[in-house]
Amino acid sequence: MDWSVTAPDAGEIEALARAAIAELPPAYRAAADRIALRVEDFAPDALLHEMELDDAFDLTGLYDGVPLIEKSVMDQPSQPDTIWLFRRPILDEWAGRGDVDLSDLVAHVMVHELAHHFGWSDDDIAAIDRWWE
């Protein structure tokens, strides 16, 4: 067995996420490109505490911002809308499943975080993310 294989780094996870954005329908792609994307190994402890999560591996992604359906032209943004991807939990889920391509898993996480940004319904998500087929 070849043990010299290394896990994808943050840059590789980001590239997969950006490829997923490029595959979105045109109506969503431009807006999704304007969301900041951050890849970290794990969510910060303060965030896990705030979300009442005991295990950092339980959180693969997070949308941090104001959903488009709640924004007003009168609002002054204090920070850019951001999607956070947490590399180690994504890799852990990928390894645990063993039956899904990493790019598909990253795309799935991205679509669900984008759903928070766009205010998508379950039907909207299903039309874009064929994960459950």
Side-chain angles (χ1 to χ4, degrees):
M1 179 166 268
D2 181 9
W3 293 102
S4 65
V5 177
T6 58
D9 64 19
E12 291 166 305
I13 298 294
E14 180 176 347
L16 293 173
R18 295 212 181 276
I21 289 171
E23 294 296 318
L24 289 172
Y28 296 113
R29 191 176 316 131
D33 274 333
R34 290 190 294 272
I35 301 169
L37 180 59
R38 303 249 340 237
V39 180
E40 299 290 339
D41 275 351
F42 290 103
D45 289 338
L47 176 62
L48 294 171
H49 179 73
E50 178 183 325
M51 295 183 73
E52 298 179 0
L53 294 173
D54 294 327
D55 188 347
F57 284 97
D58 288 341
L59 189 60
T60 56
L62 178 76
Y63 169 68
D64 183 15
V66 178
L68 290 178
I69 60 174
E70 296 176 18
K71 287 187 186 221
S72 166
V73 294
M74 302 301 289
D75 291 338
Q76 293 296 317
S78 61
Q79 63 185 28
D81 291 333
T82 303
I83 289 179
W84 295 79
L85 298 179
F86 303 114
R87 186 183 76 88
R88 294 282 308 277
I90 289 171
L91 294 177
D92 191 64
E93 181 174 341
W94 175 57
R97 287 179 177 274
D99 65 348
V100 64
D101 189 79
L102 181 59
S103 63
D104 291 338
L105 179 58
V106 171
H108 170 71
V109 174
M110 279 298 297
V111 166
H112 281 267
E113 299 315 323
L114 285 167
H116 295 293
H117 176 68
F118 290 117
W120 292 342
S121 69
D122 288 341
D123 289 339
D124 295 331
I125 295 170
I128 293 169
D129 184 11
R130 300 292 186 199
W131 178 261
W132 302 114
E133 288 184 351

mmCIF file of all heavy atoms in Angstrom, residues 29-74:
data_model
loop_
_atom_site.group_PDB
_atom_site.id
_atom_site.type_symbol
_atom_site.label_atom_id
_atom_site.label_comp_id
_atom_site.label_asym_id
_atom_site.label_seq_id
_atom_site.Cartn_x
_atom_site.Cartn_y
_atom_site.Cartn_z
ATOM 1 N N ARG A 29 -24.643 31.977 -10.720
ATOM 2 C CA ARG A 29 -23.174 31.952 -10.743
ATOM 3 C C ARG A 29 -22.554 33.305 -10.391
ATOM 4 O O ARG A 29 -21.642 33.379 -9.568
ATOM 5 C CB ARG A 29 -22.690 31.488 -12.106
ATOM 6 C CG ARG A 29 -21.223 31.179 -12.155
ATOM 7 C CD ARG A 29 -20.791 30.628 -13.515
ATOM 8 N NE ARG A 29 -21.713 29.634 -14.017
ATOM 9 C CZ ARG A 29 -22.217 29.649 -15.256
ATOM 10 N NH1 ARG A 29 -21.893 30.591 -16.106
ATOM 11 N NH2 ARG A 29 -23.044 28.698 -15.642
ATOM 12 N N ALA A 30 -23.028 34.381 -11.004
ATOM 13 C CA ALA A 30 -22.419 35.698 -10.775
ATOM 14 C C ALA A 30 -22.553 36.121 -9.322
ATOM 15 O O ALA A 30 -21.599 36.616 -8.718
ATOM 16 C CB ALA A 30 -23.038 36.742 -11.696
ATOM 17 N N ALA A 31 -23.728 35.912 -8.752
ATOM 18 C CA ALA A 31 -23.932 36.280 -7.349
ATOM 19 C C ALA A 31 -23.088 35.398 -6.427
ATOM 20 O O ALA A 31 -22.526 35.884 -5.441
ATOM 21 C CB ALA A 31 -25.410 36.179 -6.982
ATOM 22 N N ALA A 32 -22.973 34.124 -6.739
ATOM 23 C CA ALA A 32 -22.170 33.213 -5.914
ATOM 24 C C ALA A 32 -20.695 33.595 -5.966
ATOM 25 O O ALA A 32 -19.982 33.462 -4.972
ATOM 26 C CB ALA A 32 -22.369 31.772 -6.367
ATOM 27 N N ASP A 33 -20.242 34.090 -7.122
ATOM 28 C CA ASP A 33 -18.846 34.515 -7.248
ATOM 29 C C ASP A 33 -18.509 35.699 -6.350
ATOM 30 O O ASP A 33 -17.352 35.941 -6.032
ATOM 31 C CB ASP A 33 -18.525 34.891 -8.700
ATOM 32 C CG ASP A 33 -18.117 33.695 -9.531
ATOM 33 O OD1 ASP A 33 -17.597 32.717 -8.958
ATOM 34 O OD2 ASP A 33 -18.306 33.750 -10.757
ATOM 35 N N ARG A 34 -19.512 36.467 -5.939
ATOM 36 C CA ARG A 34 -19.272 37.646 -5.095
ATOM 37 C C ARG A 34 -19.201 37.312 -3.605
ATOM 38 O O ARG A 34 -18.896 38.176 -2.792
ATOM 39 C CB ARG A 34 -20.359 38.701 -5.345
ATOM 40 C CG ARG A 34 -20.236 39.353 -6.717
ATOM 41 C CD ARG A 34 -21.151 40.539 -6.865
ATOM 42 N NE ARG A 34 -22.559 40.196 -6.834
ATOM 43 C CZ ARG A 34 -23.283 39.854 -7.916
ATOM 44 N NH1 ARG A 34 -22.719 39.805 -9.090
ATOM 45 N NH2 ARG A 34 -24.561 39.577 -7.783
ATOM 46 N N ILE A 35 -19.478 36.077 -3.248
ATOM 47 C CA ILE A 35 -19.396 35.659 -1.849
ATOM 48 C C ILE A 35 -17.949 35.275 -1.553
ATOM 49 O O ILE A 35 -17.325 34.538 -2.315
ATOM 50 C CB ILE A 35 -20.327 34.462 -1.579
ATOM 51 C CG1 ILE A 35 -21.778 34.831 -1.895
ATOM 52 C CG2 ILE A 35 -20.194 33.985 -0.130
ATOM 53 C CD1 ILE A 35 -22.709 33.641 -1.900
ATOM 54 N N ALA A 36 -17.426 35.780 -0.458
ATOM 55 C CA ALA A 36 -16.069 35.409 -0.057
ATOM 56 C C ALA A 36 -16.053 33.925 0.309
ATOM 57 O O ALA A 36 -17.034 33.399 0.837
ATOM 58 C CB ALA A 36 -15.615 36.255 1.126
ATOM 59 N N LEU A 37 -14.954 33.269 0.021
ATOM 60 C CA LEU A 37 -14.806 31.852 0.318
ATOM 61 C C LEU A 37 -13.570 31.671 1.174
ATOM 62 O O LEU A 37 -12.492 32.140 0.833
ATOM 63 C CB LEU A 37 -14.679 31.062 -0.983
ATOM 64 C CG LEU A 37 -14.512 29.555 -0.865
ATOM 65 C CD1 LEU A 37 -15.697 28.923 -0.131
ATOM 66 C CD2 LEU A 37 -14.357 28.944 -2.252
ATOM 67 N N ARG A 38 -13.758 31.000 2.312
ATOM 68 C CA ARG A 38 -12.638 30.721 3.221
ATOM 69 C C ARG A 38 -12.608 29.226 3.506
ATOM 70 O O ARG A 38 -13.652 28.620 3.726
ATOM 71 C CB ARG A 38 -12.817 31.462 4.553
ATOM 72 C CG ARG A 38 -12.952 32.940 4.436
ATOM 73 C CD ARG A 38 -11.834 33.787 4.946
ATOM 74 N NE ARG A 38 -10.901 33.242 5.883
ATOM 75 C CZ ARG A 38 -10.644 33.755 7.076
ATOM 76 N NH1 ARG A 38 -11.302 34.814 7.501
ATOM 77 N NH2 ARG A 38 -9.717 33.233 7.848
ATOM 78 N N VAL A 39 -11.434 28.675 3.489
ATOM 79 C CA VAL A 39 -11.252 27.269 3.829
ATOM 80 C C VAL A 39 -10.316 27.207 5.029
ATOM 81 O O VAL A 39 -9.211 27.742 5.000
ATOM 82 C CB VAL A 39 -10.672 26.458 2.647
ATOM 83 C CG1 VAL A 39 -10.487 24.998 3.049
ATOM 84 C CG2 VAL A 39 -11.560 26.577 1.411
ATOM 85 N N GLU A 40 -10.789 26.591 6.078
ATOM 86 C CA GLU A 40 -10.002 26.397 7.305
ATOM 87 C C GLU A 40 -10.051 24.919 7.668
ATOM 88 O O GLU A 40 -10.971 24.202 7.248
ATOM 89 C CB GLU A 40 -10.590 27.222 8.460
ATOM 90 C CG GLU A 40 -10.614 28.712 8.218
ATOM 91 C CD GLU A 40 -9.233 29.357 8.216
ATOM 92 O OE1 GLU A 40 -8.297 28.758 8.777
ATOM 93 O OE2 GLU A 40 -9.113 30.446 7.643
ATOM 94 N N ASP A 41 -9.112 24.475 8.476
ATOM 95 C CA ASP A 41 -9.149 23.073 8.892
ATOM 96 C C ASP A 41 -10.408 22.766 9.698
ATOM 97 O O ASP A 41 -11.071 21.763 9.441
ATOM 98 C CB ASP A 41 -7.902 22.703 9.689
ATOM 99 C CG ASP A 41 -6.744 22.304 8.773
ATOM 100 O OD1 ASP A 41 -6.961 22.144 7.555
ATOM 101 O OD2 ASP A 41 -5.623 22.159 9.280
ATOM 102 N N PHE A 42 -10.705 23.617 10.679
ATOM 103 C CA PHE A 42 -11.875 23.431 11.541
ATOM 104 C C PHE A 42 -12.526 24.776 11.821
ATOM 105 O O PHE A 42 -11.875 25.816 11.725
ATOM 106 C CB PHE A 42 -11.474 22.829 12.900
ATOM 107 C CG PHE A 42 -11.037 21.399 12.843
ATOM 108 C CD1 PHE A 42 -9.695 21.069 12.916
ATOM 109 C CD2 PHE A 42 -11.965 20.372 12.747
ATOM 110 C CE1 PHE A 42 -9.275 19.746 12.873
ATOM 111 C CE2 PHE A 42 -11.558 19.049 12.707
ATOM 112 C CZ PHE A 42 -10.214 18.734 12.768
ATOM 113 N N ALA A 43 -13.786 24.721 12.223
ATOM 114 C CA ALA A 43 -14.463 25.924 12.708
ATOM 115 C C ALA A 43 -13.804 26.373 14.008
ATOM 116 O O ALA A 43 -13.347 25.533 14.796
ATOM 117 C CB ALA A 43 -15.944 25.622 12.955
ATOM 118 N N PRO A 44 -13.754 27.683 14.247
ATOM 119 C CA PRO A 44 -13.189 28.169 15.514
ATOM 120 C C PRO A 44 -13.995 27.649 16.720
ATOM 121 O O PRO A 44 -15.213 27.445 16.634
ATOM 122 C CB PRO A 44 -13.307 29.686 15.403
ATOM 123 C CG PRO A 44 -13.505 29.978 13.961
ATOM 124 C CD PRO A 44 -14.169 28.779 13.373
ATOM 125 N N ASP A 45 -13.314 27.463 17.828
ATOM 126 C CA ASP A 45 -13.965 26.964 19.044
ATOM 127 C C ASP A 45 -15.147 27.833 19.468
ATOM 128 O O ASP A 45 -16.180 27.312 19.895
ATOM 129 C CB ASP A 45 -12.961 26.864 20.199
ATOM 130 C CG ASP A 45 -11.965 25.730 20.000
ATOM 131 O OD1 ASP A 45 -12.269 24.782 19.236
ATOM 132 O OD2 ASP A 45 -10.875 25.797 20.603
ATOM 133 N N ALA A 46 -15.000 29.154 19.347
ATOM 134 C CA ALA A 46 -16.093 30.052 19.750
ATOM 135 C C ALA A 46 -17.343 29.800 18.912
ATOM 136 O O ALA A 46 -18.466 29.827 19.428
ATOM 137 C CB ALA A 46 -15.653 31.511 19.636
ATOM 138 N N LEU A 47 -17.162 29.546 17.636
ATOM 139 C CA LEU A 47 -18.297 29.268 16.763
ATOM 140 C C LEU A 47 -18.945 27.936 17.126
ATOM 141 O O LEU A 47 -20.171 27.832 17.195
ATOM 142 C CB LEU A 47 -17.852 29.248 15.300
ATOM 143 C CG LEU A 47 -18.921 28.875 14.291
ATOM 144 C CD1 LEU A 47 -20.068 29.883 14.294
ATOM 145 C CD2 LEU A 47 -18.312 28.742 12.910
ATOM 146 N N LEU A 48 -18.138 26.928 17.386
ATOM 147 C CA LEU A 48 -18.678 25.629 17.787
ATOM 148 C C LEU A 48 -19.472 25.763 19.079
ATOM 149 O O LEU A 48 -20.564 25.188 19.208
ATOM 150 C CB LEU A 48 -17.552 24.607 17.948
ATOM 151 C CG LEU A 48 -16.814 24.231 16.672
ATOM 152 C CD1 LEU A 48 -15.584 23.394 16.997
ATOM 153 C CD2 LEU A 48 -17.724 23.511 15.698
ATOM 154 N N HIS A 49 -18.954 26.543 20.007
ATOM 155 C CA HIS A 49 -19.653 26.779 21.270
ATOM 156 C C HIS A 49 -20.979 27.499 21.016
ATOM 157 O O HIS A 49 -22.012 27.122 21.567
ATOM 158 C CB HIS A 49 -18.769 27.575 22.224
ATOM 159 C CG HIS A 49 -19.420 27.882 23.528
ATOM 160 N ND1 HIS A 49 -19.619 26.911 24.493
ATOM 161 C CD2 HIS A 49 -19.941 29.030 24.014
ATOM 162 C CE1 HIS A 49 -20.241 27.463 25.520
ATOM 163 N NE2 HIS A 49 -20.442 28.741 25.250
ATOM 164 N N GLU A 50 -20.947 28.535 20.179
ATOM 165 C CA GLU A 50 -22.153 29.306 19.854
ATOM 166 C C GLU A 50 -23.208 28.421 19.200
ATOM 167 O O GLU A 50 -24.411 28.573 19.457
ATOM 168 C CB GLU A 50 -21.777 30.445 18.910
ATOM 169 C CG GLU A 50 -22.935 31.293 18.445
ATOM 170 C CD GLU A 50 -22.489 32.357 17.455
ATOM 171 O OE1 GLU A 50 -21.359 32.882 17.598
ATOM 172 O OE2 GLU A 50 -23.263 32.657 16.540
ATOM 173 N N MET A 51 -22.779 27.476 18.378
ATOM 174 C CA MET A 51 -23.708 26.584 17.686
ATOM 175 C C MET A 51 -24.058 25.354 18.529
ATOM 176 O O MET A 51 -24.799 24.492 18.077
ATOM 177 C CB MET A 51 -23.118 26.157 16.348
ATOM 178 C CG MET A 51 -22.946 27.319 15.386
ATOM 179 S SD MET A 51 -22.320 26.810 13.786
ATOM 180 C CE MET A 51 -23.790 26.022 13.113
ATOM 181 N N GLU A 52 -23.482 25.284 19.727
ATOM 182 C CA GLU A 52 -23.706 24.178 20.659
ATOM 183 C C GLU A 52 -23.295 22.839 20.051
ATOM 184 O O GLU A 52 -23.984 21.831 20.194
ATOM 185 C CB GLU A 52 -25.159 24.157 21.138
ATOM 186 C CG GLU A 52 -25.543 25.418 21.897
ATOM 187 C CD GLU A 52 -26.984 25.432 22.374
ATOM 188 O OE1 GLU A 52 -27.730 24.454 22.134
ATOM 189 O OE2 GLU A 52 -27.356 26.438 22.998
ATOM 190 N N LEU A 53 -22.144 22.860 19.375
ATOM 191 C CA LEU A 53 -21.582 21.641 18.803
ATOM 192 C C LEU A 53 -20.398 21.201 19.654
ATOM 193 O O LEU A 53 -19.506 21.995 19.929
ATOM 194 C CB LEU A 53 -21.126 21.877 17.366
ATOM 195 C CG LEU A 53 -22.216 22.175 16.347
ATOM 196 C CD1 LEU A 53 -21.604 22.547 15.002
ATOM 197 C CD2 LEU A 53 -23.141 20.983 16.192
ATOM 198 N N ASP A 54 -20.391 19.955 20.036
ATOM 199 C CA ASP A 54 -19.305 19.420 20.852
ATOM 200 C C ASP A 54 -18.153 18.876 20.013
ATOM 201 O O ASP A 54 -17.033 18.756 20.491
ATOM 202 C CB ASP A 54 -19.826 18.297 21.757
ATOM 203 C CG ASP A 54 -20.803 18.800 22.791
ATOM 204 O OD1 ASP A 54 -20.646 19.948 23.260
ATOM 205 O OD2 ASP A 54 -21.745 18.049 23.131
ATOM 206 N N ASP A 55 -18.440 18.531 18.763
ATOM 207 C CA ASP A 55 -17.440 17.897 17.923
ATOM 208 C C ASP A 55 -17.204 18.743 16.677
ATOM 209 O O ASP A 55 -18.122 18.968 15.886
ATOM 210 C CB ASP A 55 -17.933 16.502 17.522
ATOM 211 C CG ASP A 55 -16.889 15.681 16.798
ATOM 212 O OD1 ASP A 55 -15.854 16.239 16.380
ATOM 213 O OD2 ASP A 55 -17.120 14.464 16.641
ATOM 214 N N ALA A 56 -15.983 19.195 16.496
ATOM 215 C CA ALA A 56 -15.643 20.035 15.342
ATOM 216 C C ALA A 56 -15.857 19.311 14.022
ATOM 217 O O ALA A 56 -16.027 19.945 12.984
ATOM 218 C CB ALA A 56 -14.195 20.509 15.456
ATOM 219 N N PHE A 57 -15.875 17.995 14.036
ATOM 220 C CA PHE A 57 -16.106 17.230 12.817
ATOM 221 C C PHE A 57 -17.570 17.258 12.379
ATOM 222 O O PHE A 57 -17.894 16.779 11.291
ATOM 223 C CB PHE A 57 -15.628 15.784 12.989
ATOM 224 C CG PHE A 57 -14.135 15.647 12.908
ATOM 225 C CD1 PHE A 57 -13.378 15.610 14.064
ATOM 226 C CD2 PHE A 57 -13.490 15.571 11.682
ATOM 227 C CE1 PHE A 57 -11.996 15.486 13.995
ATOM 228 C CE2 PHE A 57 -12.107 15.457 11.609
ATOM 229 C CZ PHE A 57 -11.357 15.409 12.765
ATOM 230 N N ASP A 58 -18.449 17.828 13.196
ATOM 231 C CA ASP A 58 -19.876 17.903 12.846
ATOM 232 C C ASP A 58 -20.202 19.059 11.907
ATOM 233 O O ASP A 58 -21.321 19.144 11.412
ATOM 234 C CB ASP A 58 -20.735 18.033 14.106
ATOM 235 C CG ASP A 58 -20.791 16.749 14.909
ATOM 236 O OD1 ASP A 58 -20.485 15.676 14.347
ATOM 237 O OD2 ASP A 58 -21.132 16.816 16.107
ATOM 238 N N LEU A 59 -19.261 19.955 11.663
ATOM 239 C CA LEU A 59 -19.541 21.138 10.855
ATOM 240 C C LEU A 59 -18.613 21.162 9.640
ATOM 241 O O LEU A 59 -17.414 21.384 9.773
ATOM 242 C CB LEU A 59 -19.360 22.410 11.693
ATOM 243 C CG LEU A 59 -19.823 23.718 11.058
ATOM 244 C CD1 LEU A 59 -21.316 23.681 10.738
ATOM 245 C CD2 LEU A 59 -19.517 24.891 11.984
ATOM 246 N N THR A 60 -19.202 20.937 8.446
ATOM 247 C CA THR A 60 -18.409 20.920 7.215
ATOM 248 C C THR A 60 -18.393 22.273 6.523
ATOM 249 O O THR A 60 -17.490 22.566 5.747
ATOM 250 C CB THR A 60 -18.928 19.864 6.230
ATOM 251 O OG1 THR A 60 -20.321 20.101 5.974
ATOM 252 C CG2 THR A 60 -18.744 18.453 6.788
ATOM 253 N N GLY A 61 -19.410 23.100 6.768
ATOM 254 C CA GLY A 61 -19.475 24.396 6.117
ATOM 255 C C GLY A 61 -20.395 25.334 6.863
ATOM 256 O O GLY A 61 -21.186 24.912 7.709
ATOM 257 N N LEU A 62 -20.274 26.631 6.540
ATOM 258 C CA LEU A 62 -21.093 27.644 7.213
ATOM 259 C C LEU A 62 -21.233 28.862 6.311
ATOM 260 O O LEU A 62 -20.253 29.309 5.707
ATOM 261 C CB LEU A 62 -20.419 28.053 8.524
ATOM 262 C CG LEU A 62 -21.142 29.143 9.318
ATOM 263 C CD1 LEU A 62 -22.360 28.565 10.025
ATOM 264 C CD2 LEU A 62 -20.201 29.787 10.301
ATOM 265 N N TYR A 63 -22.443 29.382 6.234
ATOM 266 C CA TYR A 63 -22.677 30.663 5.562
ATOM 267 C C TYR A 63 -22.711 31.732 6.639
ATOM 268 O O TYR A 63 -23.452 31.618 7.617
ATOM 269 C CB TYR A 63 -24.000 30.648 4.788
ATOM 270 C CG TYR A 63 -24.404 32.021 4.306
ATOM 271 C CD1 TYR A 63 -23.665 32.665 3.320
ATOM 272 C CD2 TYR A 63 -25.495 32.683 4.849
ATOM 273 C CE1 TYR A 63 -24.018 33.933 2.890
ATOM 274 C CE2 TYR A 63 -25.855 33.947 4.414
ATOM 275 C CZ TYR A 63 -25.114 34.571 3.437
ATOM 276 O OH TYR A 63 -25.455 35.830 3.011
ATOM 277 N N ASP A 64 -21.916 32.763 6.477
ATOM 278 C CA ASP A 64 -21.847 33.872 7.425
ATOM 279 C C ASP A 64 -22.212 35.147 6.667
ATOM 280 O O ASP A 64 -21.423 35.659 5.878
ATOM 281 C CB ASP A 64 -20.429 33.970 7.990
ATOM 282 C CG ASP A 64 -20.270 35.052 9.040
ATOM 283 O OD1 ASP A 64 -21.296 35.548 9.553
ATOM 284 O OD2 ASP A 64 -19.120 35.397 9.346
ATOM 285 N N GLY A 65 -23.433 35.608 6.869
ATOM 286 C CA GLY A 65 -23.884 36.806 6.169
ATOM 287 C C GLY A 65 -25.374 36.996 6.327
ATOM 288 O O GLY A 65 -26.024 36.309 7.111
ATOM 289 N N VAL A 66 -25.898 37.911 5.565
ATOM 290 C CA VAL A 66 -27.327 38.200 5.565
ATOM 291 C C VAL A 66 -27.901 37.645 4.264
ATOM 292 O O VAL A 66 -27.461 38.035 3.177
ATOM 293 C CB VAL A 66 -27.594 39.719 5.660
ATOM 294 C CG1 VAL A 66 -29.085 40.010 5.600
ATOM 295 C CG2 VAL A 66 -26.980 40.283 6.937
ATOM 296 N N PRO A 67 -28.873 36.728 4.351
ATOM 297 C CA PRO A 67 -29.459 36.174 3.133
ATOM 298 C C PRO A 67 -30.017 37.272 2.221
ATOM 299 O O PRO A 67 -30.516 38.294 2.712
ATOM 300 C CB PRO A 67 -30.583 35.271 3.651
ATOM 301 C CG PRO A 67 -30.176 34.938 5.050
ATOM 302 C CD PRO A 67 -29.451 36.150 5.558
ATOM 303 N N LEU A 68 -29.932 37.050 0.937
ATOM 304 C CA LEU A 68 -30.389 38.043 -0.026
ATOM 305 C C LEU A 68 -31.845 38.443 0.195
ATOM 306 O O LEU A 68 -32.208 39.604 -0.001
ATOM 307 C CB LEU A 68 -30.209 37.524 -1.455
ATOM 308 C CG LEU A 68 -28.784 37.411 -1.949
ATOM 309 C CD1 LEU A 68 -28.748 36.837 -3.358
ATOM 310 C CD2 LEU A 68 -28.089 38.766 -1.905
ATOM 311 N N ILE A 69 -32.671 37.499 0.603
ATOM 312 C CA ILE A 69 -34.094 37.802 0.796
ATOM 313 C C ILE A 69 -34.341 38.677 2.025
ATOM 314 O O ILE A 69 -35.443 39.180 2.205
ATOM 315 C CB ILE A 69 -34.950 36.514 0.871
ATOM 316 C CG1 ILE A 69 -34.496 35.628 2.028
ATOM 317 C CG2 ILE A 69 -34.908 35.763 -0.453
ATOM 318 C CD1 ILE A 69 -35.365 34.419 2.273
ATOM 319 N N GLU A 70 -33.312 38.885 2.853
ATOM 320 C CA GLU A 70 -33.428 39.739 4.036
ATOM 321 C C GLU A 70 -32.663 41.050 3.906
ATOM 322 O O GLU A 70 -32.742 41.902 4.781
ATOM 323 C CB GLU A 70 -32.919 38.986 5.271
ATOM 324 C CG GLU A 70 -33.736 37.762 5.614
ATOM 325 C CD GLU A 70 -33.146 36.989 6.771
ATOM 326 O OE1 GLU A 70 -32.322 37.546 7.531
ATOM 327 O OE2 GLU A 70 -33.505 35.809 6.923
ATOM 328 N N LYS A 71 -31.917 41.216 2.820
ATOM 329 C CA LYS A 71 -31.096 42.422 2.655
ATOM 330 C C LYS A 71 -31.952 43.597 2.218
ATOM 331 O O LYS A 71 -32.947 43.444 1.531
ATOM 332 C CB LYS A 71 -29.996 42.192 1.631
ATOM 333 C CG LYS A 71 -28.909 41.309 2.153
ATOM 334 C CD LYS A 71 -27.762 41.234 1.184
ATOM 335 C CE LYS A 71 -26.785 40.216 1.732
ATOM 336 N NZ LYS A 71 -25.441 40.556 1.610
ATOM 337 N N SER A 72 -31.516 44.773 2.599
ATOM 338 C CA SER A 72 -32.160 46.009 2.201
ATOM 339 C C SER A 72 -31.101 46.929 1.604
ATOM 340 O O SER A 72 -29.938 46.898 2.017
ATOM 341 C CB SER A 72 -32.806 46.683 3.421
ATOM 342 O OG SER A 72 -33.148 48.016 3.131
ATOM 343 N N VAL A 73 -31.512 47.767 0.665
ATOM 344 C CA VAL A 73 -30.569 48.735 0.103
ATOM 345 C C VAL A 73 -30.126 49.738 1.159
ATOM 346 O O VAL A 73 -29.118 50.421 0.992
ATOM 347 C CB VAL A 73 -31.170 49.479 -1.114
ATOM 348 C CG1 VAL A 73 -31.393 48.510 -2.251
ATOM 349 C CG2 VAL A 73 -32.438 50.202 -0.749
ATOM 350 N N MET A 74 -30.864 49.823 2.247
ATOM 351 C CA MET A 74 -30.527 50.741 3.333
ATOM 352 C C MET A 74 -29.471 50.157 4.273
ATOM 353 O O MET A 74 -28.884 50.879 5.065
ATOM 354 C CB MET A 74 -31.776 51.099 4.137
ATOM 355 C CG MET A 74 -32.881 51.726 3.295
ATOM 356 S SD MET A 74 -32.364 53.230 2.460
ATOM 357 C CE MET A 74 -32.233 54.331 3.848
#
